Amino acid sequence: QVHLVESGGGLVQAGRSLRLTCEPSESYYIWDMAWYRQAPGKQRELVASLAANGTTAYADSVKGRFVISRDDSLKTGHLDMNNLRPEDTAIYYCSAYLYSYDVSPRPYWGQGTQVTVSS
């Protein structure tokens, strides 16, 4: 069954950077995608989104620090996180509409990757 695979999480000090990657488990293409995060005791929140036409949007808390992107191959998505803060600590989830030549875009979620920022 097709799903999204995330990687790149870890433990970093405040002020450092991390790059998260999101890839389909099979040979599907990314139509549009978004990154969400959920901190302990809090609701899942939208961090960044990338529309099929390339339009991006960011939560105010990460604007100017995070960048969402998709490779030209349309098979890999990224979230570049710069100048990380302790309040960025959360499990980060990738969500995307995936398609192939004979399958219309359908929504999928990743399993999440932990990002921990120490002060």
Side-chain angles (χ1 to χ4, degrees):
Q1 188 173 1
V2 179
H3 57 278
L4 293 168
V5 180
E6 298 131 334
S7 60
L11 171 64
V12 294
Q13 289 185 324
R16 304 298 290 269
S17 300
L18 276 177
R19 165 173 265 205
L20 303 183
T21 297
C22 175
E23 298 175 287
S25 60
E26 298 179 23
S27 187
Y28 277 60
Y29 298 96
I30 296 173
W31 179 251
D32 60 22
M33 63 178 292
W35 287 92
Y36 293 77
R37 69 185 180 187
Q38 186 166 19
K42 295 187 177 181
Q43 289 188 330
R44 189 174 297 189
E45 63 172 345
L46 177 63
V47 175
S49 63
L50 173 63
N53 65 2
T55 301
T56 58
Y58 299 91
D60 287 343
S61 59
V62 306
K63 203 171 292 184
R65 299 188 297 123
F66 289 13
V67 177
I68 187 171
S69 63
R70 180 182 52 188
D71 287 359
D72 290 342
S73 68
L74 305 183
K75 291 188 174 183
T76 306
H78 301 284
L79 182 68
D80 288 296
M81 306 184 295
N82 304 303
N83 190 21
L84 282 161
R85 304 168 180 169
E87 54 264 39
D88 294 320
T89 295
I91 299 175
Y92 284 71
Y93 298 89
C94 176
S95 171
Y97 274 78
L98 305 179
Y99 70 99
S100 67
Y101 291 111
D102 57 352
V103 177
S104 301
R106 298 175 183 177
Y108 296 90
W109 283 88
Q111 79 288 353
T113 184
Q114 177 70 47
V115 172
T116 303
V117 184
S118 63
S119 58

